[in-house]
Amino acid sequence: DAEITQSPRHKITETGRQVTLACHQTWNHNNMFWYRQDLGHGLRLIHYSYGVQDTNKGEVSDGYSVSRSNTEDLPLTLESAASSQTSVYFCASSDPITSPGEQYFGPGTRLTVT
Amino acid sequence: QQQVKQSPQSLIVQKGGISIINCAYENTAFDYFPWYQQFPGKGPALLIAIRPDVSEKKEGRFTISFNKSAKQFSLHIMDSQPGDSATYFCAASTYNQGGKLIFGQGTELSVKP
């Protein structure tokens, strides 16, 4: 069965360190998204991609970067982790042709920056 | 103009009751309105969605009511069950935006037995 996975599921890091969160999907979806979830803010879009070599900034992109070298993966990098980036991060994907608004989410990565 | 406002933030309902969650949007270009359900420790999952050419969509105990003129839509959960206890997010998007969703703030629903 097709799926979307995230790793690690939990991560503790120190302020100033570079951190990369992995996202891998086997749906063969061109659209991929990264969100952060914080209490009272819902899901906020960090970065998104509509295909290989395409990346776009979302509403809360400062301090984050992504790259898309293949269809399956969209890693999220925190260049210099800050305590404000402590959050739960979700990756999602969707098919731009059949149902672009129907996003399939991964299980999330809980990141703590100390 | 890109915001989607959701209320209430939390909701407690007795088993068998009706749960109602409301959302309002500003951008009239939005043409797809999904609701996502999220259980603790899991990612959100699509529950039900509606397009603005209909005023209501029903799937089992879940119904979306859509009011285009008021720019509001709501989720009704009939005969609420303890297994419905979860966080619910409304969202909105425009088809030509490639499925990029704008989410509401979320509603934590607790159904008491």
Side-chain angles (χ1 to χ4, degrees):
Chain A
D1 289 345
E3 61 178 355
I4 180 165
T5 57
Q6 294 183 236
S7 62
R9 294 295 312 279
H10 302 270
K11 174 78 175 177
I12 300 174
T13 191
E14 295 178 344
T15 301
R17 289 191 179 269
Q18 184 181 79
V19 176
T20 297
L21 309 183
C23 174
H24 179 80
Q25 53 98 2
T26 59
W27 292 98
N28 200 35
H29 287 162
N30 279 334
N31 294 356
M32 294 187 73
F33 308 85
W34 272 105
Y35 297 91
R36 60 178 290 173
Q37 183 175 16
D38 304 287
L39 196 63
H41 291 277
L43 292 152
R44 291 183 291 175
L45 184 63
I46 304 171
H47 281 286
Y48 59 102
S49 169
Y50 290 149
V52 176
Q53 303 300 329
D54 176 75
T55 61
N56 305 279
K57 294 180 179 180
E59 66 174 304
V60 291
S61 61
D62 288 348
Y64 304 93
S65 64
V66 294
S67 61
R68 187 91 180 269
S69 59
N70 58 52
T71 300
E72 296 80 17
D73 299 288
L74 187 69
L76 177 71
T77 297
L78 286 68
E79 304 293 345
S80 177
S83 57
S84 61
Q85 294 177 309
T86 293
S87 186
V88 180
Y89 291 85
F90 288 98
C91 178
S93 70
S94 71
D95 186 327
I97 303 300
T98 58
S99 188
E102 181 176 354
Q103 295 187 11
Y104 295 82
F105 281 79
T109 294
R110 182 174 295 276
L111 176 68
T112 302
V113 182
T114 62
Chain B
Q1 197 178 14
Q2 283 289 92
Q3 279 188 321
V4 176
K5 296 182 179 179
Q6 182 173 346
S7 63
Q9 188 172 353
S10 62
L11 181 62
I12 299 175
V13 174
Q14 291 297 123
K15 179 182 175 181
I18 302 173
S19 303
I20 302 174
I21 305 170
N22 301 298
C23 285
Y25 64 97
E26 298 172 356
N27 187 349
T28 56
F30 288 147
D31 58 8
Y32 179 75
F33 302 89
W35 285 88
Y36 281 78
Q37 180 188 55
Q38 183 183 30
F39 293 106
K42 304 291 186 182
L46 180 65
L47 181 64
I48 186 173
I50 196 169
R51 295 198 182 275
D53 52 345
V54 296
S55 61
E56 185 176 280
K57 183 173 182 179
K58 184 177 181 179
E59 291 185 1
R61 296 184 293 108
F62 299 90
T63 300
I64 299 178
S65 296
F66 184 79
N67 186 329
K68 189 174 181 178
S69 60
K71 292 185 286 186
Q72 296 176 346
F73 58 110
S74 60
L75 176 69
H76 295 238
I77 305 175
M78 311 301 287
D79 187 26
S80 298
Q81 300 296 312
D84 297 330
S85 297
T87 300
Y88 293 82
F89 294 95
C90 63
S93 73
T94 53
Y95 187 86
N96 63 7
Q97 287 285 306
K100 188 174 65 170
L101 293 171
I102 306 298
F103 282 90
Q105 296 81 356
T107 296
E108 187 173 354
L109 171 66
S110 178
V111 181
K112 300 298 185 184

